[in-house]
């Protein structure tokens, strides 16, 4: 028996299938529960056995929250980079691994901590894959689940129950979370805007209200990065995943700060033992070129084994991941060579035709939504990543960013107080004009250039 992990049968004709007796097995026949069960079985030995007693509770959290969350996302939300239920489950488990490995310690009420960390992981695995417009809807539905207010009168939940007869509505319907996150602070409208502090056992805002960023007078305009709830939480999530040896894929529209956030993290936010390689993909990028750039930056550890200098790790940042053109059979060669490393930890030296094992590498990538030269990339590659969608900045975040920059400019150039007082109204008016233009001046075949992003505001 030969088994192939094919994404679809697009390149297989009916004659091919009938002659070799091919059987196509859908992923739903396997399901996501084996992934969960294997991870739960490891709790006896992982994390010093600290969470072994919570095995049954964690299993219940999956049945209670994960299944309806995935159903809602797949049926009522827009996902820029499509991912399967198995990939969502794997992403959730990676985040739980990061949270349970925290060196900061945990509060005494382990059941409350465990449940809250699961909710946090659910939001940043299943919820992180949706676009900005879908996040409020996702948040509202999960809140109904957490407060025990779901019933068959809710159209979305009724649809879920009709498609998932095994879901125990009698048990899970009235169930309430031990600690329901509150979003009462300024700028905190959703659970996405707060985080769970496992040491204190409390949900707290990502950014404390009233905290202002101080920009040095000597700073250049292009180098200014103002911390917002978006930049802070993205930085924290990338840090947790990278430190625990997991790969990260950042998606989002142009101008949402993907590349800037990643580059700032790799250049200024990582320990000295981490080095980095930057790759920029384009439609003309080839597999050989990609392989040569990476091989050229690594050194020989021992026979057949290459990697960064001993005692260090290398993080490879691939920008515009989905730009390479597809070949005759639908594959993208640069992505396939990277996937080969993901699956087999190495590739072949093209001159000597010997296998080269590459160690101590990690990948972080960024890509925009398909369209305009960008394409969908193979699920066989995406499954190795935790997908983190960068949603467009909210008006609150935009006001915070540009008012801080405007204040810096006016103070730096010693403008009069009357002029300085117009900083906030000017920023709000600019954002209002931008929102109106983006809403009403939509792209058409005759005016395909009507695409607006944050770069237009900054100009």
């Amino acid at each position: 028996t030969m088994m192939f992990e094919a994404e679809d049968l697009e390149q297989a004709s009916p004659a091919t299938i009938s002659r070799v007796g091919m059987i196509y097995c859908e992923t739903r026949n396997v399901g996501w529960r084996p992934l969960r069960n294997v991870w739960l079985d490891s709790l006896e030995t992982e994390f010093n056995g600290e969470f072994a007693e919570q095995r049954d509770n964690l299993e219940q959290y999956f049945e209670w929250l994960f299944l309806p969350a995935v159903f809602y996302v797949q049926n009522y939300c827009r996902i820029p980079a499509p991912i399967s239920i198995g990939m969502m489950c794997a992403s959730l488990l990676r985040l739980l691994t990061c949270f349970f490995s925290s060196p900061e310690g945990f509060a005494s009420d382990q059941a409350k901590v465990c449940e809250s960390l699961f909710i946090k992981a659910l939001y940043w695995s299943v919820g992180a894959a949706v676009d900005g417009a879908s996040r409020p809807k996702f948040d509202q539905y999960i809140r109904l689940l957490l407060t025990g207010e779901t019933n068959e009168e809710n159209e979305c939940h009724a649809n879920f129950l009709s498609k998932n007869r095994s879901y125990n509505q009698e048990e899970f319907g009235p169930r309430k979370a031990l600690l329901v996150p509150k979003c009462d602070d300024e700028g905190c409208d959703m659970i996405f805007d707060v985080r769970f502090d496992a040491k204190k056992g409390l949900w707290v805002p990502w950014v404390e209200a009233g905290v202002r960023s101080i920009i040095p007078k000597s700073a250049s305009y292009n180098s200014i990065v103002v911390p917002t709830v978006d930049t802070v939480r993205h930085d924290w999530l990338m840090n947790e995943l990278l430190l625990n040896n997991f790969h990260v894929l950042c998606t989002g529209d142009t101008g949402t700060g993907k590349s800037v956030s990643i580059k700032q993290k790799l250049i200024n936010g990582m320990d000295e033992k981490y080095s980095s390689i930057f790759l920029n993909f384009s439609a003309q990028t080839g597999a050989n070129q990609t392989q040569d750039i990476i091989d050229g930056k690594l050194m020989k550890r021992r026979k057949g084994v290459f990697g960064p200098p001993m005692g260090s790790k290398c993080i490879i940042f691939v920008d515009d991941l989905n730009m390479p053109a597809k070949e005759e059979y639908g594959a993208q060669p640069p992505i396939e060579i990277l996937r080969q490393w993901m699956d087999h930890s190495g590739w072949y030296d093209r001159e000597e035709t010997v296998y080269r094992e590459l160690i101590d590498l990690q990948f972080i990538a960024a890509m925009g939504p398909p369209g305009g030269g960008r394409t969908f990339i193979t699920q066989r590659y995406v499954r190795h990543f935790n997908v983190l969608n960068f949603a467009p900045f909210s008006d609150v975040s935009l006001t915070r960013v540009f008012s801080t920059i405007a204040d810096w400019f006016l103070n730096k150039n010693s403008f009069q107080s009357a002029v300085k007082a117009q900083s906030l109204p000017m920023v709000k008016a600019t954002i209002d004009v931008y929102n109106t233009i983006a809403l009403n001046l939509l792209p058409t075949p005759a005016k395909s250039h009507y695409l607006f992003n944050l770069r237009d505001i900054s100009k």
Side-chain angles (χ1 to χ4, degrees):
T1 301
M2 297 180 67
M3 295 183 67
F4 294 89
E5 187 191 15
E7 186 174 341
D8 51 49
L9 298 180
E10 188 177 341
Q11 303 299 331
S13 67
T16 306
I17 295 172
S18 62
R19 283 196 177 94
V20 300
M22 188 180 295
I23 299 173
Y24 187 65
C25 180
E26 292 277 2
T27 53
R28 65 187 178 200
N29 295 341
V30 179
W32 54 271
R33 288 182 176 84
L35 290 171
R36 177 201 63 183
N37 294 340
V38 169
W39 187 83
L40 291 176
D41 290 341
S42 71
L43 290 176
E44 293 288 344
T45 54
E46 296 292 329
F47 320 116
N48 299 318
E50 188 173 355
F51 293 95
E53 295 180 359
Q54 298 298 321
R55 187 192 191 285
D56 292 339
N57 285 338
L58 284 164
E59 188 172 349
Q60 289 290 303
Y61 301 152
F62 273 94
E63 300 295 340
W64 171 33
L65 297 171
F66 178 73
L67 202 56
V70 169
F71 180 86
Y72 189 86
V73 164
Q74 291 180 334
N75 290 275
Y76 298 99
C77 299
R78 180 177 173 271
I79 308 176
I83 58 177
S84 67
I85 184 172
M87 293 158 62
M88 290 182 187
C89 182
S91 296
L92 193 155
L93 294 174
R94 293 189 199 109
L95 282 177
L96 283 176
T97 300
C98 295
F99 299 161
F100 287 176
S101 303
S102 173
E104 297 178 359
F106 305 94
S108 57
D109 192 337
Q110 197 177 64
K112 186 183 292 184
V113 168
C114 205
E115 183 184 88
S116 298
L117 288 177
F118 183 89
I119 295 169
K120 183 179 177 182
L122 180 74
Y123 265 76
W124 291 109
S125 55
V126 180
V130 305
D131 67 354
S134 300
R135 283 190 178 182
K137 297 188 294 182
F138 175 81
D139 179 71
Q140 185 178 14
Y141 180 65
I142 300 300
R143 280 178 177 278
L144 293 176
L145 291 169
L146 296 178
T147 54
E149 297 176 9
T150 54
N151 52 55
E152 295 187 5
E153 294 179 5
N154 183 296
E155 182 181 348
C156 301
H157 196 65
N159 188 22
F160 164 72
L161 293 176
S162 68
K163 303 285 178 60
N164 296 270
R165 298 290 185 182
S166 60
Y167 187 79
N168 192 342
Q169 177 65 13
E170 291 185 5
E171 178 185 354
F172 297 137
R175 181 168 179 172
K176 296 182 180 181
L178 298 175
L179 185 62
V180 179
K182 293 182 179 180
C183 304
D184 302 330
D185 295 324
E186 180 185 353
C188 296
D189 302 319
M190 303 180 288
I191 298 179
F192 286 105
D193 301 325
V194 294
R195 64 181 178 87
F196 183 72
D197 189 323
K199 188 174 183 180
K200 297 178 181 178
L202 297 171
W203 288 92
V204 297
W206 285 102
V207 178
E208 296 296 332
V211 176
R212 300 282 292 183
S213 176
I214 299 175
I215 304 173
K217 285 190 175 182
S218 59
S220 63
Y221 179 74
N222 292 331
S223 67
I224 297 172
V225 176
V226 181
T228 66
V229 63
D230 300 283
T231 58
V232 169
R233 64 192 176 192
H234 292 152
D235 182 82
W236 187 87
L237 288 163
M238 285 191 289
N239 187 70
E240 288 293 303
L241 289 164
L242 291 174
L243 292 182
N244 286 277
N245 301 316
F246 296 126
H247 310 293
V248 186
L249 174 60
C250 300
T251 64
D253 294 326
T254 303
T256 50
K258 302 183 298 295
S259 300
V260 172
S261 298
I262 294 171
K263 288 178 180 177
Q264 184 185 22
K265 182 65 185 172
L266 296 183
I267 295 173
N268 301 317
M270 298 299 291
D271 192 82
E272 292 182 357
K273 73 173 184 177
Y274 290 93
S275 60
S276 55
I277 298 174
F278 295 87
L279 298 176
N280 279 83
F281 277 4
S282 68
Q284 281 71 45
T285 303
N288 293 350
Q289 177 186 355
T290 303
Q291 182 180 352
D292 291 341
I293 292 174
I294 295 175
D295 283 343
K297 299 290 180 70
L298 303 179
M299 60 180 292
K300 187 174 183 179
R301 292 279 189 91
R302 54 185 184 273
K303 184 178 180 182
V305 179
F306 294 79
M310 192 71 70
S312 66
K313 290 188 176 183
C314 182
I315 300 175
I316 301 173
F317 170 43
V318 184
D319 203 1
D320 289 325
L321 180 67
N322 56 349
M323 281 295 286
K326 291 189 174 184
E327 43 98 86
E328 182 181 356
Y329 298 104
Q332 293 166 285
I335 291 177
E336 292 303 320
I337 192 71
L338 297 181
R339 184 193 60 77
Q340 183 176 334
W341 179 85
M342 294 278 197
D343 288 338
H344 306 288
S345 301
W347 46 55
Y348 281 88
D349 186 312
R350 299 196 309 279
E351 295 181 0
E352 300 179 7
T353 63
V354 294
Y355 186 74
R356 302 178 62 156
E357 182 184 357
L358 308 180
I359 60 174
D360 293 332
L361 298 183
Q362 271 181 270
F363 280 84
I364 184 169
M367 68 180 194
R374 298 184 177 92
T375 59
F376 287 101
I377 62 175
T378 173
Q379 299 283 286
R380 298 177 71 189
Y381 185 56
V382 178
R383 73 180 181 88
H384 292 284
F385 290 90
N386 263 56
V387 177
L388 182 60
N389 186 57
F390 279 50
F393 289 98
S394 65
D395 286 354
V396 174
S397 295
L398 288 177
T399 303
R400 177 188 174 92
V401 169
F402 289 106
S403 62
T404 302
I405 294 174
D407 290 341
W408 163 78
F409 176 79
L410 296 174
N411 288 324
K412 175 185 175 182
N413 293 281
S414 303
F415 280 84
Q416 295 181 358
S417 300
V419 178
K420 292 180 182 178
Q422 300 304 312
S423 169
L424 187 58
M426 176 184 67
V427 169
K428 288 186 175 181
T430 304
I431 293 172
D432 189 43
V433 170
Y434 166 77
N435 288 334
T436 303
I437 291 174
L439 184 65
N440 295 300
L441 296 182
L442 300 176
T444 64
K447 299 177 180 178
S448 58
H449 61 286
Y450 276 17
L451 296 170
F452 305 99
N453 55 57
L454 296 190
R455 291 171 187 162
D456 298 302
I457 297 182
S458 65
K459 291 174 184 177

